[in-house]
Amino acid sequence: MSAAPDRSQASSHSRAQHVGIPGGAPRAPLKPLDQALAELMAHVRPLSDVEQVATFDADGRVLAREVVSGLQVPPQDNSSMDGYALRLADVPQAGVVLPVSQRIAAGSSGASLLPGTTARIFTGAPVPPGADAIVMQEDCEPVGDGKAVRINSVPPAGQWIRRAGEDVTRGAVVLSQGERLSPASLGLAASIGMAQLSVRRKLRVALFSTGDELVMPGDVAPQDMRPGAIYNSNRFFLRALLLRLGCEVTDLGIVPDKRETTIATLREATQAHDLVLTSGGVSVGEEDH
């Protein structure tokens, strides 16, 4: 199928009606490109085969089932700064000195914060019960070998606290069916504990080029090219595009301009592939099979 430019479509249709196949009936008029694409798309069927792959290896794959979070992210309130967790009621003005009652690092948990004290806290550490703000360490000044700290600013409620479920809530759909997975998708899946993902199997594509004029780079040096020969650049271009789309590509090489060979190659290509993509040989000449 081919399409003429809009500006000459009418005249092309007129000419096409008089172009015949030797010994046969006249060819049908050329189809507009949109109609040709619509007819091709009408044959498209989604792949139904599903496979499990490690989340590590799922980049670029198409998700077969939506991913629902079984937890919330973050799982509990945590600090987004290195600093000091405190009660707002204990800091009526800047310059208050509070004793440090505990130290909470990421991966550990603290006890309830005693009134009139502060907790040394680090980024990602759970906020101790009773604390309602974090003051970052740049706004604080250790006193007495770190056993106490001077708070040099009055924080607003909730300052530097990441709330539980702020990023992802339990039961939320975090990745949708049919989504092409990206590095960000994999990070999100991992954040809710998904070690494997259900994906559609890869599309199997057979690729070949037709044309007696085609030569592969490396087979013939430029200065030795025969008259009329050209390098097969489409083979490289199309294969790279298919691989970027996550397809499994079978490269059937260059097919000569022979009708029987073209038919045999097409039959072979359809045996184990979802799509056959060819380049060349698709016009209306006697060598276009």
Side-chain angles (χ1 to χ4, degrees):
M1 291 182 287
S2 59
D6 291 341
R7 63 178 181 275
S8 59
Q9 186 167 300
S11 60
S12 295
H13 284 190
S14 177
R15 289 197 302 272
Q17 291 173 347
H18 299 287
V19 176
I21 302 172
R27 292 183 183 275
L30 297 179
K31 292 180 181 179
L33 179 59
D34 288 345
Q35 179 183 343
L37 290 175
E39 291 183 10
L40 287 172
M41 293 302 294
H43 290 283
V44 172
R45 297 291 181 270
L47 294 177
S48 58
D49 298 340
V50 177
E51 58 188 24
Q52 295 291 116
V53 299
T55 302
F56 260 130
D57 303 320
D59 185 35
R61 302 298 296 271
V62 176
L63 195 62
R65 300 187 181 96
E66 66 181 16
V67 175
V68 178
S69 177
L71 49 77
Q72 54 188 11
V73 180
Q76 63 275 316
D77 292 355
N78 70 81
S79 177
S80 61
M81 283 287 177
D82 294 334
Y84 295 86
L86 47 75
R87 296 171 180 265
L88 291 175
D90 294 330
V91 190
Q93 70 276 329
V96 170
V97 175
L98 298 174
V100 177
S101 59
Q102 56 182 311
R103 183 180 186 275
I104 311 171
S108 62
S109 59
S112 295
L113 186 64
L114 296 173
T117 72
T118 185
R120 180 72 166 114
I121 196 167
F122 298 90
T123 303
V127 176
D132 47 18
I134 307 290
V135 178
M136 63 181 182
Q137 63 187 29
E138 290 82 356
D139 291 334
C140 300
E141 181 183 349
V143 175
D145 296 330
K147 295 181 180 180
V149 64
R150 179 175 287 106
I151 310 300
N152 292 323
S153 67
V154 178
Q159 177 175 268
W160 304 126
I161 295 177
R162 286 187 294 224
R163 298 299 181 185
E166 185 175 299
D167 295 331
V168 178
T169 57
R170 184 180 288 106
V173 176
V174 297
L175 296 172
S176 301
Q177 180 181 349
E179 179 176 341
R180 185 177 292 278
L181 296 169
S182 67
S185 305
L186 305 188
L188 183 54
S191 75
I192 61 170
M194 300 296 296
Q196 290 191 320
L197 295 169
S198 298
V199 298
R200 300 292 181 188
R201 71 163 172 81
K202 292 185 176 183
L203 193 72
R204 301 180 186 125
V205 181
L207 172 67
F208 65 86
S209 310
T210 66
D212 291 339
E213 75 279 13
L214 298 178
V215 175
M216 282 297 292
D219 289 350
V220 181
Q223 65 271 19
D224 297 328
M225 292 277 279
R226 69 180 186 276
I230 60 172
Y231 287 120
N232 186 7
S233 58
N234 280 359
R235 186 177 183 183
F236 292 81
F237 171 69
L238 295 173
R239 180 178 179 275
L241 285 177
L242 291 167
L243 291 175
R244 285 195 175 197
L245 287 171
C247 301
E248 289 183 359
V249 181
T250 302
D251 190 335
L252 299 177
I254 298 173
V255 177
D257 286 323
K258 293 181 173 58
R259 180 178 175 82
E260 295 77 13
T261 306
T262 301
I263 292 173
T265 305
L266 283 168
R267 283 177 174 161
E268 175 190 353
T270 59
Q271 295 306 305
H273 298 92
D274 307 298
L275 174 71
V276 178
L277 180 60
T278 69
S279 173
V282 293
S283 186
V284 294
E286 294 177 8
E287 293 296 316
D288 294 315
H289 304 300

